[in-house]
Every structure is written in C-alpha cells, then in structure tokens.
Amino acid sequence: MSYAKYAIIGGGPAAFSAIDTINKFDKQEEIALIGAENHLPYYRPLMPNYLAGWTAREKLYMRPEDFYARSNVRFINGKAIQVNGRHNLLTYEKSENDVKAPAEEELKFEKLLLATGADPVQPNIPGLENPGTYFLRTINDADNIGRRAREAKRAVMLGGGLVSLKTAQALQALGLEVVLIISSNRVFSQMLDWQGGELLAHHLKKEGIKIFFQNEADFIHSNRSGVKKVTLADGQELEAEMVVVGKGVEPAVSFLEGSDVEFAEGIPVNEKLQTNLPHVYAAGDVTLTQDLLFNKPALHPFWPKATDQGAVAGANMAGKELTYSGCMAMNATEIFGLPVIAAGLAWAEKEEDFPGEIYRPLYLDSPPSYTKIVLKDDRLVGYIIIGENRKAGILTNLIMSQQLLSPYRKNRLINGEVVYL
Amino acid sequence: MKEILIQLEHCVACKSCVLACAVEHSESKELFSAIFETPPPVARIFVEAGEEFNFPLQCRHCEEAKCVKACISGALWQDKESGLVHHEKDKCIGCLMCVMLCPFGVLTQAREEKVVLKCDRCPDLDIPACVASCPTKAMSLEEVPVHAREKRKEYLTNFKEQWS
C-alpha cells in the first residue's frame, strides 16, 4: 500500500486543472494521478486531427514529461477498480507490469478526486465486435483506425455529433469514401435546429460526405479480414471495410459499482463538487451538475466545464473554499472550413414550443451563414452562429450572466448585430 | 507588469490602431507590401463605434482567462510572470472553443489557416503597434503595480459601468 495526500483518478482537463490549483495552495504534498491508458495524459479532442495526420504525436501531450516531478505528481499507470471512501482507500490494477497477471495495489489518500471522464456509448449492433469496427476515443483507437484506413476504401460512420463529423473529415482526408448514418433527422442534433442542421449537412455533402438520415445500422457483416458490409434499418446494404461509432459518450462510473460513493447516470455533486462523501470530489464529464437554463442536474461533457470544475474541486481539496454554480449546453467546432458555434437553447424551433422569442436575422446558402437568437423575458437564452463569429463569446457571456437587454441592444441583436452596450 | 490603458473620451474611432496592428502582424511589416500579401494580414484589435463613445478593444490578458480554460489543444497558456495570455499557432486547431467563451469577443479567426489569432502585445516592439499609432493618445502602455490592481482594472470597470 502506498500513500498520497491527494489522489486523482483520470488524466483529462479536470485532473490537470485540479493539479495546478492544488499546487498553488499546497505545493509540498504529493498528488497521485491514476491514468488507465499506457500513455502520459494527452489532449483527447485532438484525436481526429491526429488520425488525419494534422497534429503530430509529440504535440498531443497535456504536459511535458518533466512536469510531473516538478509538480510533485506521481503518475500511476493503472485502472481504478474499487473505491472505499470511508476508509480512504483506493484499489487499482497496475497496467505497466505483466498484462496476464495484473497486480492489484492499494493507495491511501486524504482527499480523492474522481475525474474519470466519459466512455463512448456502445450501441447494440450485431457484428460490432468484429475486426474493423472502432470507436475514436484514445490514441490506441486512432492508431488502429489509421492502420485499417491504409487498406480500406470505404468507411461507415455511425452518429452525427461532433466527434463523428470530425472523424469523417479525417477519414476522407486519408482517402476514404465516407458515409454517415444518423438516427435523427439532422447533423449535430444536440446543438443545432433544423435550419442549422440543413446548412451544415449541405456543406458536408458538397465536400463529398454521404449522409443517411433517420437510419441505423442493423447488422455489420464481416469475413476473415474484418468488416465487409453494413445492413441498414431500411434494408439498404453499404459495402465498407471499416465502421467507426460516434454515438456520444456516457460518464465512466462503472468502477464505482459496489463502492460507498453514490452515482446515478453520472456522479451527483454539490456546489463544492463533493460527492456524498465530503472528502471525495468529482469533476468533469463524469459529474451530474446543475444546468443553469433548465435548473436541474444534467450531464455536460465538454472541455471548459471540466477545467472549471477541476479548479474548484482542487481548491476545495486543498482547503480553499470555492463554489461552482453550474453550466449550460454549448459547443463550437469547425468542419471542412465552416465554423459552427451554438449555446444554450439553440435548438428551440418554433415559438409555439417555447415560451420566448426566436429570431433568425441571417440565413445564407453561400457562403453558408446563419445567425439565430433565442430570447426569453428580454434575456438571451440561446444562439447559433454559423460563419463569421468573432463576437460569439459576448453572447455566451450574456446567457451565463442572464443580463437584461436594453431595448437598443435587443433591437440590434435581433437584427444580427452584437454590440457591447 | 505592463498594461495597455485606454482613455475612452480620447478615442475618435479612426482605426489607426487596426491598421497598425495588421501591418505589424504581416510578413513584411510594411504597409505597402502588406496590402498584397496572401492571406491578407489580420488585425487583432477592433474599434467599436458606439452611440455615445468609441473604444478600441484587444485581448485583456485576463486573470483566470476563459480562453485558456477552454483551449482543447494546449495552444493558449498564461505566463505567470508577465500575466500575458500567449497563443501558439502551431498547436492551434481552430476549434473555436476560445472564441465561444471570450467575453470580450477579441479572438478572431484566420479561416484559411484554420487557427485563431489574438493580441500578442507585439513581442518585437517596446511599445505595441496599436499604442504607438494612436494619434490622440487614447492608448498608453503603463507599468501597473501588481499590488495596486484597482488601477489595472480602471478601464474594465469603466467599461462595465457603461454596460449596465
């Protein structure tokens, strides 16, 4: 058994933000960082860029190798398998040793941060276990996909979210024909409304990506060399040598099974990011936190929330009281040169379904441009910007602060203009 | 610690700073050749012309900068000594997370290069190009004592009061 005052499970943005904050307030004490992958922690969102060859491997790592010793961090390559919060004990399986006989080790801690992030949702499709089917979450996934892509000619992507779209772009850059199978009626359906989805889908099609909407993969056929063909719900058959699944993520909580830390679809936390046990904290994708617009706990797996929460959890762990008030849905990306940003109640379609005002001051096919403004009681509650977007952050800030808009400012806003005052 | 301070009442929205910024961030750093460069040089300062007053705006190099927290590729980082928020172009993938979260709207995009661009406080110059170019001396670069943060925040507070 070893000891560290602080233990952190997970090596993503929440973990590093917590490390930086703990270092600020309690530099002397050791932090044990437990990461399940056999790599030093890296920037996961870069995986599509890495797959495409746009980002070099040495640019993926979150911190240089000497950071760990400098910051009093002991990196343990292992998989947490059990948490005994009341006895301040954590059991993990060490992965750097013999794979066939992994050694279980125990760690005693005073404060623990659960920052295990999220895992890809695994749909139940017969044939998904065969060679040639992938998720894109880890460096190893990217390497495996890259190897297969060298031999393959056609790829089928399941899912129409951000990771799927970026992966489709990467696979096309590697020379593959890419078909997207999307179960809803539009791309990026978590964030975009019908019009926004149409604009983006049109752009993707123009770039050579084929899309099937309101369809599913029913069966993945394989032979000895792996995937050969995918049968869709409507009976169509698509020939392909690889299938990549991007149907969203879910909090990685399975290691808490049987422990004394409470969890549901994510880990519920209070304002100080404590779990049901006051010395066990959680931050990042794994948490269920207050949604500021819906006023109820929700999952928001996105980067800035993880860094914010990591800093708050880290401060509280080191004895400096800080609170986290909540967040809302938002996302930004760039697909085939087209910038897309959406935040808040961006997807609200019609005023009948939504007690507020919806304006669409800009909608252009070429170049694809769209501005949508959603207001409630003279406050901004959502927006979509496709195209020119420099002032998007001012809008995000307006939603977060729930500032009352002056008549002048509101009038400019519903005409598609962002003014500071 | 040095900060760019702004006197709102002196700004006449002439956009000299915008031009000077673009030229300083061009390949040639000369106005006449910069005009013909591809991609065209991009300014990282913006002038807002309001109903009552005008003001220039560039990166505030915030403490607890939201853009740094939003960055998914490690391109944005804050120098603890100088307080400056730096951007490494070769790490940036142009994901726009920082653009989505900057409350001042001062990160801009180079669409062709697929990166964002921001104020770097002109590392090659003693006085940043925008400050040097201002004909009415609305901008000045001043040493601000760390222990007297009020002064540093004067511009921002002024700005905020006008907002609400």
Side-chain angles (χ1 to χ4, degrees):
Chain A
M1 192 195 318
S2 65
Y3 169 83
K5 181 171 177 187
Y6 301 104
I8 300 176
I9 311 177
F16 281 91
S17 188
I19 290 171
D20 291 342
T21 317
I22 292 171
N23 265 321
K24 207 152 77 184
F25 299 118
D26 195 5
K27 178 82 189 160
Q28 306 312 315
E29 296 289 343
E30 193 188 36
I31 304 167
L33 178 68
I34 296 152
E37 288 179 54
N38 55 346
H39 305 278
L40 282 178
Y42 55 91
Y43 288 101
R44 206 181 284 293
L46 294 179
M47 288 306 104
N49 283 56
Y50 170 59
L51 170 63
W54 297 325
T55 301
R57 188 165 183 128
E58 63 271 16
K59 290 233 179 346
L60 299 178
Y61 296 97
M62 293 195 64
R63 298 293 158 98
E65 269 177 58
D66 64 346
F67 165 85
Y68 298 88
R70 243 190 305 127
S71 311
N72 218 351
V73 174
R74 172 157 54 106
F75 179 69
I76 298 169
N77 181 204
K79 195 171 181 299
I81 49 172
Q82 210 181 328
V83 174
N84 187 339
R86 280 193 180 83
H87 292 96
N88 296 26
L89 273 180
L90 160 72
T91 313
Y92 59 90
E93 223 166 55
K94 236 174 136 74
S95 11
E96 56 212 306
N97 296 337
D98 189 358
V99 188
K100 281 174 205 147
E104 276 186 21
E105 291 199 16
E106 279 190 328
L107 177 76
K108 197 162 177 69
F109 58 83
E110 279 175 45
K111 302 282 167 77
L112 172 66
L113 177 64
L114 308 173
T116 44
D119 291 329
V121 171
Q122 311 242 353
N124 186 16
I125 303 165
L128 197 58
E129 66 287 350
N130 292 324
T133 60
Y134 306 92
F135 296 91
L136 180 51
R137 189 74 181 157
T138 65
I139 287 189
N140 295 348
D141 290 339
D143 287 339
N144 292 336
I145 294 173
R147 262 192 296 276
R148 181 91 185 173
R150 256 177 263 147
E151 315 290 320
K153 287 194 169 59
R154 292 153 298 192
V156 168
M157 297 277 325
L158 309 181
L162 204 152
V163 178
S164 283
L165 299 188
K166 291 301 284 185
T167 308
Q169 188 180 359
L171 288 172
Q172 199 201 47
L174 292 173
L176 278 84
E177 269 175 49
V178 184
V179 181
L180 282 173
I181 312 296
I182 298 175
S183 47
S184 73
N185 65 357
R186 60 179 182 266
V187 290
F188 218 5
S189 61
Q190 300 284 318
M191 289 312 301
L192 292 181
D193 61 358
W194 168 253
Q195 287 93 327
E198 276 290 282
L199 211 54
L200 184 52
H202 184 73
H203 183 68
L204 290 166
K205 286 176 191 162
K206 217 178 69 194
E207 295 287 341
I209 303 286
K210 283 202 191 86
I211 312 178
F212 290 88
F213 289 106
Q214 287 170 302
N215 218 328
E216 307 264 4
D218 260 11
F219 198 89
I220 299 168
H221 307 262
S222 301
N223 64 12
R224 212 175 304 151
S225 57
V227 173
K228 278 320 273 178
K229 197 166 70 179
V230 179
T231 305
L232 302 186
D234 65 0
Q236 285 188 78
E237 293 193 327
L238 299 175
E239 298 208 1
E241 293 77 37
M242 60 193 296
V243 172
V244 184
V245 185
K247 305 277 267 179
V249 294
E250 55 194 6
V253 288
S254 57
F255 71 104
L256 289 174
E257 215 70 66
S259 80
D260 47 8
V261 178
E262 280 171 15
F263 68 100
E265 69 265 47
I267 305 175
V269 284
N270 65 13
E271 279 197 333
K272 286 156 84 180
L273 302 178
Q274 290 163 312
T275 63
N276 62 310
L277 300 175
H279 61 295
V280 178
Y281 295 76
D285 288 4
V286 79
T287 62
L288 254 176
T289 29
Q290 196 65 10
D291 185 297
L292 294 173
L293 291 171
F294 290 98
N295 233 344
K296 61 173 190 198
L299 298 169
H300 288 300
F302 84 125
W303 193 274
K305 174 194 128 173
T307 40
D308 279 345
Q309 287 196 330
V312 171
N316 287 315
M317 288 165 79
K320 167 127 174 117
E321 212 166 290
L322 275 186
T323 58
Y324 180 82
S325 54
C327 76
M328 61 179 187
M330 58 173 98
N331 230 323
T333 192
E334 172 273 325
I335 305 276
F336 289 110
L338 184 64
V340 180
I341 304 182
L345 304 173
W347 37 262
E349 290 287 349
K350 290 190 292 252
E351 294 183 358
E352 298 95 80
D353 313 331
F354 165 77
E357 304 165 59
I358 297 173
Y359 300 92
R360 294 181 172 89
L362 175 65
Y363 193 90
L364 262 182
D365 288 336
S366 181
S369 323
Y370 180 34
T371 305
K372 177 186 184 181
I373 298 292
V374 187
L375 301 169
K376 190 167 180 282
D377 305 326
D378 290 335
R379 289 174 170 86
L380 186 68
V381 291
Y383 73 86
I384 295 173
I385 294 179
I386 296 179
E388 169 54 36
N389 52 34
R390 176 172 69 84
K391 290 177 173 175
I394 299 170
L395 298 181
T396 307
N397 192 44
L398 276 180
I399 305 179
M400 294 296 276
S401 62
Q402 280 300 289
Q403 194 186 330
L404 190 66
L405 297 168
S406 67
Y408 171 75
R409 206 172 181 196
K410 178 181 169 184
N411 189 38
R412 300 283 288 263
L413 199 55
I414 64 184
N415 284 300
E417 227 184 308
V418 180
V419 293
Y420 284 83
L421 22 134
Chain B
M1 198 178 269
K2 282 188 168 178
E3 291 291 329
I4 294 175
L5 300 178
I6 292 155
Q7 285 180 278
L8 292 179
E9 62 277 18
H10 285 198
C11 179
V12 294
C14 70
K15 302 199 177 181
S16 300
C17 53
V18 177
L19 193 62
C21 178
V23 172
E24 179 58 27
H25 294 95
S26 67
E27 285 291 319
S28 60
K29 304 201 176 194
E30 292 284 344
L31 176 61
F32 292 105
S33 33
I35 294 169
F36 300 106
E37 285 174 19
T38 34
V42 180
R44 295 109 198 267
I45 185 167
F46 311 93
V47 173
E48 289 291 314
E51 282 198 313
E52 287 167 30
F53 56 88
N54 316 303
F55 55 91
L57 193 63
Q58 76 285 71
C59 173
R60 310 316 307 152
H61 298 277
C62 307
E63 288 182 62
E64 301 285 320
K66 289 197 173 183
C67 59
V68 174
K69 286 187 168 179
C71 185
I72 61 167
S73 67
L76 286 162
W77 57 278
Q78 191 150 28
D79 187 323
K80 281 177 197 154
E81 301 271 300
S82 66
L84 293 184
V85 174
H86 294 284
H87 177 254
E88 282 174 53
K89 205 169 157 183
D90 63 340
K91 278 191 173 178
C92 179
I93 60 162
C95 74
L96 305 173
M97 290 295 243
C98 56
V99 173
M100 176 172 73
L101 284 159
C102 171
F104 297 100
V106 290
L107 288 142
T108 189
Q109 226 192 332
R111 291 274 290 265
E112 298 78 15
E113 294 176 86
K114 294 190 177 177
V115 292
V116 297
L117 301 171
K118 72 177 286 295
C119 163
D120 55 4
R121 238 353 130 66
C122 295
D124 302 338
L125 302 176
D126 292 335
I127 305 285
C130 55
V131 175
S133 74
C134 184
T136 61
K137 304 275 181 286
M139 274 184 273
S140 57
L141 183 75
E142 285 176 39
E143 187 67 45
V144 179
V146 181
H147 60 267
R149 289 250 161 91
E150 289 74 36
K151 206 177 167 188
R152 268 187 78 198
K153 288 176 180 163
E154 219 169 327
Y155 169 66
L156 285 180
T157 317
N158 195 346
F159 193 54
K160 211 168 157 188
E161 275 167 8
Q162 300 285 350
W163 262 27
S164 44

